[in-house]
Amino acid sequence: MTKLFLVLHVLAAIVAVGPVTVAASMFPRVLREALAAPGDARPVTTLRTLHRICRVYGGLGIAVVVFGFATASSMDVLGSVWLIVSIALTFLAALILLVFLLPRQEAALAALTATTAGGGAGAGAAEAADGAGRGVVVQPDARTSVLLGAYTGVFNVLWATVTVLMIVRPGSTTGA
């Protein structure tokens, strides 16, 4: 049963986390393209798709956690330090996605849509709720792109660290 849980855990991580890291990484660059060409609908359509990927696959990421706990439980390693650190980093990555990335992506999209629909630069700011229900105001500009890039970078480094911990497992009995 352990091997089945491990396979499902790894597949869920590849299928769920991989697309989020790629789509979130692409979002700032496409946002800059949308800002550079305010009349062009293509970048906005791409941004909508990237945001949808982050939102949907981020939700599917819960399978990674479920199968991860099942695997750890069947391997009897729930108390291992490397696993506890991995769980904490995964939780932190999820918070960054829910509180910083998704709401700002959504607000940037709303602001771009308002700017396009309003036909001018005066209609630019938009608001979206963060994970705690507070409003996040985003003015779609270069600073927004830089902030999204920074949050995405931290998100991706956290996942890379979790991946390394899962492979190396300091102190494990596998001899790795």
Side-chain angles (χ1 to χ4, degrees):
M1 201 60 151
T2 299
K3 289 181 182 182
L4 174 65
F5 287 144
L6 182 59
V7 166
L8 292 173
H9 173 63
V10 170
L11 286 174
I14 291 168
V15 169
V17 178
V20 175
T21 59
V22 172
S25 295
M26 292 174 64
F27 195 95
R29 182 186 54 82
V30 178
L31 177 59
R32 287 189 299 275
E33 289 175 15
L35 293 170
D40 192 357
R42 287 177 298 159
V44 176
T45 302
T46 303
L47 287 171
R48 281 191 187 106
T49 302
L50 293 172
H51 175 64
R52 188 176 307 120
I53 289 168
C54 289
R55 195 178 64 238
V56 170
Y57 284 88
L60 292 175
I62 194 70
V64 177
V65 175
V66 170
F67 290 127
F69 273 109
T71 303
S73 179
S74 68
M75 291 174 68
D76 199 31
V77 294
L78 283 172
S80 298
V81 174
W82 64 268
L83 184 67
I84 294 167
V85 170
S86 294
I87 291 168
L89 294 177
T90 299
F91 179 75
L92 187 57
L95 278 177
I96 288 171
L97 180 66
L98 292 172
V99 175
F100 294 107
L101 287 173
L102 293 177
R104 282 169 177 78
Q105 287 180 351
E106 187 176 319
L109 273 169
L112 284 172
T113 304
T115 301
T116 304
E127 183 174 333
D130 66 6
R134 296 179 303 257
V136 175
V137 177
V138 171
Q139 178 73 30
D141 57 13
R143 184 173 184 268
T144 301
S145 175
V146 169
L147 280 174
L148 279 169
Y151 295 139
T152 301
V154 172
F155 176 80
N156 290 345
V157 165
L158 288 170
W159 276 116
T161 304
V162 169
T163 302
V164 169
L165 285 172
M166 290 291 147
I167 293 168
V168 174
R169 299 183 319 215
S172 75
T173 59
T174 62

